[in-house]
Amino acid sequence: MQVFDSIIRDRGSRYAVSGGACRNAEEAAAFLKELKRRKKFAKATHNTWACLTDEGPMRNDDGESGAAQVILRMLEREEILNEIVVVTRWYGGKHLGGDRFRHVGDAVRHYLDNRGG
């Protein structure tokens, strides 16, 4: 599991991105459980995620409507299989409108550019 914390800040909202190996729904659930063992991530407003597996695409907006689709599209474009990417947001009190999708994309790009292996 790799975690990049506080990579984006905008109007009080903060973003982090994390990711790791994931081949199925059980591994996705285990990854999220492990991530949320960190109290900070358990208290986040959204832990939006997506993963392309051999079984097909998986995603969850976790209340950030449409954000998981952004992650999934980026994974498809880069042809990254069996790797989950989670974009975490702590809501700062001000609506970001469409900027939230740009931030999700920027967070995923940060992960893809800096992940190991």
Side-chain angles (χ1 to χ4, degrees), residues 2 4 9 12 16-17 20 22-23 25 30 37 40 42 48 63 86-87 117:
Q2 288 190 292
F4 302 96
R9 294 176 183 269
V17 65
C22 179
R23 293 175 304 219
R37 289 180 79 147
K40 179 179 182 178
T48 303
V86 181
V87 176

Side-chain angles (χ1 to χ4, degrees), residues 39-104:
K39 188 184 254 186
K40 179 179 182 178
F41 286 84
K43 291 184 174 187
T45 312
H46 308 287
N47 282 295
T48 303
W49 63 272
C51 181
L52 277 174
T53 69
D54 295 328
E55 299 172 358
M58 300 184 301
R59 67 179 184 263
N60 188 309
D61 286 324
D62 192 30
E64 186 80 290
S65 184
Q69 186 61 36
V70 173
I71 301 168
L72 190 58
R73 262 186 274 137
M74 291 182 75
L75 293 174
E76 289 171 339
R77 193 175 312 126
E78 299 288 330
E79 298 179 352
I80 295 176
L81 289 173
N82 300 317
E83 190 167 348
I84 190 171
V85 176
V86 181
V87 176
T88 302
R89 178 182 178 195
W90 293 269
Y91 180 64
K94 295 185 180 167
H95 292 286
L96 302 180
D99 287 341
R100 66 192 175 100
F101 296 114
R102 182 172 47 84
H103 295 326
V104 169

